[in-house]
Every structure is written in C-alpha cells, then in structure tokens.
PDB file of all heavy atoms in Angstrom:
ATOM      1  N   VAL F   1     107.039  93.105  96.162  1.00 92.00           N
ATOM      2  CA  VAL F   1     107.348  92.244  94.993  1.00 92.00           C
ATOM      3  C   VAL F   1     107.065  92.868  93.729  1.00 92.00           C
ATOM      4  O   VAL F   1     106.080  93.616  93.494  1.00 92.00           O
ATOM      5  CB  VAL F   1     106.631  90.927  95.195  1.00 92.00           C
ATOM      6  CG1 VAL F   1     106.903  89.924  94.007  1.00 92.00           C
ATOM      7  CG2 VAL F   1     106.831  90.224  96.552  1.00 92.00           C
ATOM      8  N   VAL F   2     108.064  92.705  92.755  1.00 86.00           N
ATOM      9  CA  VAL F   2     107.910  93.156  91.324  1.00 86.00           C
ATOM     10  C   VAL F   2     106.440  92.969  90.808  1.00 86.00           C
ATOM     11  O   VAL F   2     106.026  91.858  90.837  1.00 86.00           O
ATOM     12  CB  VAL F   2     109.002  92.762  90.476  1.00 86.00           C
ATOM     13  CG1 VAL F   2     108.810  93.144  88.974  1.00 86.00           C
ATOM     14  CG2 VAL F   2     110.420  93.315  91.001  1.00 86.00           C
ATOM     15  N   GLY F   3     105.925  93.972  90.228  1.00 77.00           N
ATOM     16  CA  GLY F   3     104.592  93.781  89.717  1.00 77.00           C
ATOM     17  C   GLY F   3     103.496  94.279  90.531  1.00 77.00           C
ATOM     18  O   GLY F   3     102.348  94.461  90.081  1.00 77.00           O
ATOM     19  N   GLY F   4     103.684  94.541  91.861  1.00 74.00           N
ATOM     20  CA  GLY F   4     102.732  95.115  92.714  1.00 74.00           C
ATOM     21  C   GLY F   4     102.424  96.543  92.495  1.00 74.00           C
ATOM     22  O   GLY F   4     103.304  97.341  91.973  1.00 74.00           O
ATOM     23  N   GLU F   5     101.217  96.945  92.805  1.00 77.00           N
ATOM     24  CA  GLU F   5     100.752  98.311  92.536  1.00 77.00           C
ATOM     25  C   GLU F   5     100.760  99.073  93.881  1.00 77.00           C
ATOM     26  O   GLU F   5     100.126  98.695  94.838  1.00 77.00           O
ATOM     27  CB  GLU F   5      99.370  98.243  91.899  1.00 77.00           C
ATOM     28  CG  GLU F   5      98.901  99.688  91.584  1.00 77.00           C
ATOM     29  CD  GLU F   5      97.516  99.610  90.961  1.00 77.00           C
ATOM     30  OE1 GLU F   5      97.174  98.595  90.437  1.00 77.00           O
ATOM     31  OE2 GLU F   5      96.723 100.710  90.888  1.00 77.00           O
ATOM     32  N   HIS F   6     101.476 100.305  93.866  1.00 71.00           N
ATOM     33  CA  HIS F   6     101.670 101.070  95.107  1.00 71.00           C
ATOM     34  C   HIS F   6     100.380 101.839  95.381  1.00 71.00           C
ATOM     35  O   HIS F   6      99.479 102.050  94.559  1.00 71.00           O
ATOM     36  CB  HIS F   6     102.769 102.193  94.741  1.00 71.00           C
ATOM     37  CG  HIS F   6     104.095 101.671  94.953  1.00 71.00           C
ATOM     38  ND1 HIS F   6     104.689 101.455  96.128  1.00 71.00           N
ATOM     39  CD2 HIS F   6     105.005 101.460  93.994  1.00 71.00           C
ATOM     40  CE1 HIS F   6     106.019 101.090  95.884  1.00 71.00           C
ATOM     41  NE2 HIS F   6     106.255 101.095  94.603  1.00 71.00           N
ATOM     42  N   SER F   7     100.338 102.230  96.659  1.00 76.00           N
ATOM     43  CA  SER F   7      99.324 103.232  97.124  1.00 76.00           C
ATOM     44  C   SER F   7     100.190 104.396  97.763  1.00 76.00           C
ATOM     45  O   SER F   7     101.349 104.022  98.200  1.00 76.00           O
ATOM     46  CB  SER F   7      98.440 102.689  98.225  1.00 76.00           C
ATOM     47  OG  SER F   7      97.591 101.734  97.604  1.00 76.00           O
ATOM     48  N   ALA F   8      99.648 105.525  97.947  1.00 73.00           N
ATOM     49  CA  ALA F   8     100.430 106.669  98.461  1.00 73.00           C
ATOM     50  C   ALA F   8     100.777 106.515  99.974  1.00 73.00           C
ATOM     51  O   ALA F   8     101.512 107.240 100.493  1.00 73.00           O
ATOM     52  CB  ALA F   8      99.739 107.914  98.250  1.00 73.00           C
ATOM     53  N   SER F   9     100.050 105.666 100.730  1.00 71.00           N
ATOM     54  CA  SER F   9     100.096 105.487 102.079  1.00 71.00           C
ATOM     55  C   SER F   9     101.226 104.525 102.622  1.00 71.00           C
ATOM     56  O   SER F   9     101.388 104.313 103.853  1.00 71.00           O
ATOM     57  CB  SER F   9      98.824 105.158 102.880  1.00 71.00           C
ATOM     58  OG  SER F   9      98.309 103.898 102.259  1.00 71.00           O
ATOM     59  N   GLU F  10     101.890 103.811 101.656  1.00 62.00           N
ATOM     60  CA  GLU F  10     102.893 102.828 102.107  1.00 62.00           C
ATOM     61  C   GLU F  10     104.247 103.539 102.231  1.00 62.00           C
ATOM     62  O   GLU F  10     104.670 104.506 101.511  1.00 62.00           O
ATOM     63  CB  GLU F  10     102.997 101.801 100.942  1.00 62.00           C
ATOM     64  CG  GLU F  10     101.795 100.895 100.874  1.00 62.00           C
ATOM     65  CD  GLU F  10     101.443 100.772  99.362  1.00 62.00           C
ATOM     66  OE1 GLU F  10     102.256 101.009  98.488  1.00 62.00           O
ATOM     67  OE2 GLU F  10     100.416 100.143  99.124  1.00 62.00           O
ATOM     68  N   GLN F  11     104.916 103.144 103.351  1.00 65.00           N
ATOM     69  CA  GLN F  11     106.265 103.807 103.575  1.00 65.00           C
ATOM     70  C   GLN F  11     107.240 103.298 102.656  1.00 65.00           C
ATOM     71  O   GLN F  11     107.319 102.083 102.219  1.00 65.00           O
ATOM     72  CB  GLN F  11     106.674 103.324 105.024  1.00 65.00           C
ATOM     73  CG  GLN F  11     107.911 104.022 105.483  1.00 65.00           C
ATOM     74  CD  GLN F  11     108.283 103.550 106.848  1.00 65.00           C
ATOM     75  OE1 GLN F  11     108.727 102.510 107.174  1.00 65.00           O
ATOM     76  NE2 GLN F  11     108.091 104.508 107.860  1.00 65.00           N
ATOM     77  N   ASP F  12     108.122 104.237 102.084  1.00 61.00           N
ATOM     78  CA  ASP F  12     109.151 103.910 101.215  1.00 61.00           C
ATOM     79  C   ASP F  12     110.290 102.912 101.840  1.00 61.00           C
ATOM     80  O   ASP F  12     110.653 103.283 103.002  1.00 61.00           O
ATOM     81  CB  ASP F  12     109.803 105.243 100.730  1.00 61.00           C
ATOM     82  CG  ASP F  12     110.777 105.026  99.576  1.00 61.00           C
ATOM     83  OD1 ASP F  12     111.112 103.938  99.179  1.00 61.00           O
ATOM     84  OD2 ASP F  12     111.296 106.041  99.207  1.00 61.00           O
ATOM     85  N   ILE F  13     110.567 101.880 101.200  1.00 62.00           N
ATOM     86  CA  ILE F  13     111.521 100.970 101.730  1.00 62.00           C
ATOM     87  C   ILE F  13     112.760 100.854 100.933  1.00 62.00           C
ATOM     88  O   ILE F  13     113.442  99.796 100.793  1.00 62.00           O
ATOM     89  CB  ILE F  13     110.854  99.590 102.076  1.00 62.00           C
ATOM     90  CG1 ILE F  13     110.331  98.892 100.833  1.00 62.00           C
ATOM     91  CG2 ILE F  13     109.935  99.623 103.205  1.00 62.00           C
ATOM     92  CD1 ILE F  13     109.873  97.536 101.025  1.00 62.00           C
ATOM     93  N   HIS F  14     113.050 101.874 100.021  1.00 59.00           N
ATOM     94  CA  HIS F  14     114.078 101.868  99.136  1.00 59.00           C
ATOM     95  C   HIS F  14     115.515 101.658  99.944  1.00 59.00           C
ATOM     96  O   HIS F  14     115.740 102.288 100.901  1.00 59.00           O
ATOM     97  CB  HIS F  14     114.389 103.180  98.396  1.00 59.00           C
ATOM     98  CG  HIS F  14     113.496 103.196  97.104  1.00 59.00           C
ATOM     99  ND1 HIS F  14     112.263 103.576  97.164  1.00 59.00           N
ATOM    100  CD2 HIS F  14     113.797 103.027  95.869  1.00 59.00           C
ATOM    101  CE1 HIS F  14     111.697 103.521  95.976  1.00 59.00           C
ATOM    102  NE2 HIS F  14     112.622 103.188  95.117  1.00 59.00           N
ATOM    103  N   ILE F  15     116.279 100.722  99.457  1.00 56.00           N
ATOM    104  CA  ILE F  15     117.561 100.598 100.018  1.00 56.00           C
ATOM    105  C   ILE F  15     118.579 100.519  98.815  1.00 56.00           C
ATOM    106  O   ILE F  15     118.397  99.581  97.948  1.00 56.00           O
ATOM    107  CB  ILE F  15     117.787  99.149 100.795  1.00 56.00           C
ATOM    108  CG1 ILE F  15     116.823  99.156 102.043  1.00 56.00           C
ATOM    109  CG2 ILE F  15     119.208  98.922 101.174  1.00 56.00           C
ATOM    110  CD1 ILE F  15     117.379 100.194 103.076  1.00 56.00           C
ATOM    111  N   GLY F  16     119.466 101.407  98.776  1.00 52.00           N
ATOM    112  CA  GLY F  16     120.461 101.511  97.601  1.00 52.00           C
ATOM    113  C   GLY F  16     119.744 101.707  96.312  1.00 52.00           C
ATOM    114  O   GLY F  16     120.169 101.244  95.270  1.00 52.00           O
ATOM    115  N   GLY F  17     118.534 102.403  96.411  1.00 50.00           N
ATOM    116  CA  GLY F  17     117.853 102.703  95.187  1.00 50.00           C
ATOM    117  C   GLY F  17     116.921 101.699  94.720  1.00 50.00           C
ATOM    118  O   GLY F  17     116.179 101.831  93.800  1.00 50.00           O
ATOM    119  N   VAL F  18     116.727 100.459  95.360  1.00 53.00           N
ATOM    120  CA  VAL F  18     115.900  99.411  95.014  1.00 53.00           C
ATOM    121  C   VAL F  18     115.024  99.023  96.155  1.00 53.00           C
ATOM    122  O   VAL F  18     115.552  98.871  97.316  1.00 53.00           O
ATOM    123  CB  VAL F  18     116.746  98.196  94.560  1.00 53.00           C
ATOM    124  CG1 VAL F  18     115.793  97.093  94.203  1.00 53.00           C
ATOM    125  CG2 VAL F  18     117.699  98.573  93.324  1.00 53.00           C
ATOM    126  N   ASP F  19     113.742  98.952  95.939  1.00 71.00           N
ATOM    127  CA  ASP F  19     112.829  98.615  97.012  1.00 71.00           C
ATOM    128  C   ASP F  19     112.169  97.255  96.732  1.00 71.00           C
ATOM    129  O   ASP F  19     111.254  96.874  97.558  1.00 71.00           O
ATOM    130  CB  ASP F  19     111.803  99.680  97.198  1.00 71.00           C
ATOM    131  CG  ASP F  19     110.840  99.976  95.918  1.00 71.00           C
ATOM    132  OD1 ASP F  19     111.240  99.312  94.991  1.00 71.00           O
ATOM    133  OD2 ASP F  19     109.980 100.795  96.041  1.00 71.00           O
ATOM    134  N   SER F  20     112.256  96.615  95.604  1.00 80.00           N
ATOM    135  CA  SER F  20     111.564  95.511  95.193  1.00 80.00           C
ATOM    136  C   SER F  20     112.381  94.236  95.133  1.00 80.00           C
ATOM    137  O   SER F  20     113.587  94.241  95.070  1.00 80.00           O
ATOM    138  CB  SER F  20     110.886  95.708  93.821  1.00 80.00           C
ATOM    139  OG  SER F  20     111.866  95.933  92.837  1.00 80.00           O
ATOM    140  N   VAL F  21     111.629  93.110  95.112  1.00 90.00           N
ATOM    141  CA  VAL F  21     112.223  91.750  94.972  1.00 90.00           C
ATOM    142  C   VAL F  21     111.534  91.094  93.843  1.00 90.00           C
ATOM    143  O   VAL F  21     110.338  91.258  93.598  1.00 90.00           O
ATOM    144  CB  VAL F  21     112.168  90.920  96.261  1.00 90.00           C
ATOM    145  CG1 VAL F  21     113.007  91.618  97.375  1.00 90.00           C
ATOM    146  CG2 VAL F  21     110.829  90.651  96.702  1.00 90.00           C
ATOM    147  N   PRO F  22     112.237  90.195  93.116  1.00 92.00           N
ATOM    148  CA  PRO F  22     111.612  89.511  92.007  1.00 92.00           C
ATOM    149  C   PRO F  22     110.712  88.380  92.429  1.00 92.00           C
ATOM    150  O   PRO F  22     110.955  87.750  93.450  1.00 92.00           O
ATOM    151  CB  PRO F  22     112.817  89.008  91.146  1.00 92.00           C
ATOM    152  CG  PRO F  22     113.868  88.907  92.143  1.00 92.00           C
ATOM    153  CD  PRO F  22     113.688  90.014  93.089  1.00 92.00           C
ATOM    154  N   VAL F  23     109.678  88.221  91.627  1.00 93.00           N
ATOM    155  CA  VAL F  23     108.664  87.130  91.855  1.00 93.00           C
ATOM    156  C   VAL F  23     109.446  85.851  91.868  1.00 93.00           C
ATOM    157  O   VAL F  23     109.024  84.824  92.685  1.00 93.00           O
ATOM    158  CB  VAL F  23     107.660  87.118  90.791  1.00 93.00           C
ATOM    159  CG1 VAL F  23     106.821  85.838  90.881  1.00 93.00           C
ATOM    160  CG2 VAL F  23     106.742  88.231  90.916  1.00 93.00           C
ATOM    161  N   SER F  24     110.521  85.538  91.053  1.00 93.00           N
ATOM    162  CA  SER F  24     111.046  84.333  90.943  1.00 93.00           C
ATOM    163  C   SER F  24     111.746  83.752  92.292  1.00 93.00           C
ATOM    164  O   SER F  24     111.953  82.595  92.434  1.00 93.00           O
ATOM    165  CB  SER F  24     112.250  84.412  89.856  1.00 93.00           C
ATOM    166  OG  SER F  24     113.102  85.332  90.140  1.00 93.00           O
ATOM    167  N   LEU F  25     112.056  84.668  93.209  1.00 94.00           N
ATOM    168  CA  LEU F  25     112.634  84.316  94.479  1.00 94.00           C
ATOM    169  C   LEU F  25     111.685  83.215  95.106  1.00 94.00           C
ATOM    170  O   LEU F  25     112.181  82.382  95.924  1.00 94.00           O
ATOM    171  CB  LEU F  25     112.820  85.383  95.344  1.00 94.00           C
ATOM    172  CG  LEU F  25     114.099  86.311  95.174  1.00 94.00           C
ATOM    173  CD1 LEU F  25     114.228  87.388  96.319  1.00 94.00           C
ATOM    174  CD2 LEU F  25     115.321  85.514  95.104  1.00 94.00           C
ATOM    175  N   PHE F  26     110.415  83.371  95.067  1.00 96.00           N
ATOM    176  CA  PHE F  26     109.474  82.599  95.806  1.00 96.00           C
ATOM    177  C   PHE F  26     109.079  81.313  95.105  1.00 96.00           C
ATOM    178  O   PHE F  26     108.407  80.510  95.644  1.00 96.00           O
ATOM    179  CB  PHE F  26     108.171  83.411  95.984  1.00 96.00           C
ATOM    180  CG  PHE F  26     108.414  84.629  96.867  1.00 96.00           C
ATOM    181  CD1 PHE F  26     108.764  85.884  96.350  1.00 96.00           C
ATOM    182  CD2 PHE F  26     108.200  84.583  98.254  1.00 96.00           C
ATOM    183  CE1 PHE F  26     108.929  87.003  97.132  1.00 96.00           C
ATOM    184  CE2 PHE F  26     108.399  85.707  99.093  1.00 96.00           C
ATOM    185  CZ  PHE F  26     108.798  86.844  98.531  1.00 96.00           C
ATOM    186  N   ASP F  27     109.696  81.103  93.957  1.00 95.00           N
ATOM    187  CA  ASP F  27     109.311  79.855  93.121  1.00 95.00           C
ATOM    188  C   ASP F  27     110.368  78.784  93.614  1.00 95.00           C
ATOM    189  O   ASP F  27     111.288  78.483  92.790  1.00 95.00           O
ATOM    190  CB  ASP F  27     109.399  80.084  91.658  1.00 95.00           C
ATOM    191  CG  ASP F  27     108.830  78.935  90.864  1.00 95.00           C
ATOM    192  OD1 ASP F  27     108.323  77.980  91.520  1.00 95.00           O
ATOM    193  OD2 ASP F  27     108.971  79.004  89.596  1.00 95.00           O
ATOM    194  N   LEU F  28     110.157  78.220  94.730  1.00 96.00           N
ATOM    195  CA  LEU F  28     111.088  77.236  95.346  1.00 96.00           C
ATOM    196  C   LEU F  28     110.662  75.892  94.766  1.00 96.00           C
ATOM    197  O   LEU F  28     109.565  75.509  94.661  1.00 96.00           O
ATOM    198  CB  LEU F  28     111.028  77.273  96.802  1.00 96.00           C
ATOM    199  CG  LEU F  28     111.265  78.621  97.565  1.00 96.00           C
ATOM    200  CD1 LEU F  28     111.288  78.340  99.036  1.00 96.00           C
ATOM    201  CD2 LEU F  28     112.601  79.210  97.082  1.00 96.00           C
TER     202      LEU F  28
END
C-alpha cells in the first residue's frame, strides 16, 4: 500500500512497473 516502508527481504511484486495500491481503495 502506498506509504509503506520497504525492507530488502520482501519479494518484488512489480506488475507493469507498478507494485503499489492507493490507500483510498480501502476507504469503503
């Protein structure tokens, strides 16, 4: 989620150059 802080041990999940989702998606 946008705004989160990476660590080096997390697997890259880039798809089409973008790996993140906006916080606003969860504000239902």
Side-chain angles (χ1 to χ4, degrees):
V1 177
V2 171
E5 184 176 341
H6 279 287
S7 298
S9 58
E10 295 138 8
Q11 188 178 72
D12 190 353
I13 56 171
H14 275 81
I15 296 291
V18 178
D19 63 351
S20 60
V21 297
V23 169
S24 58
L25 279 187
F26 295 88
D27 190 9
L28 306 183

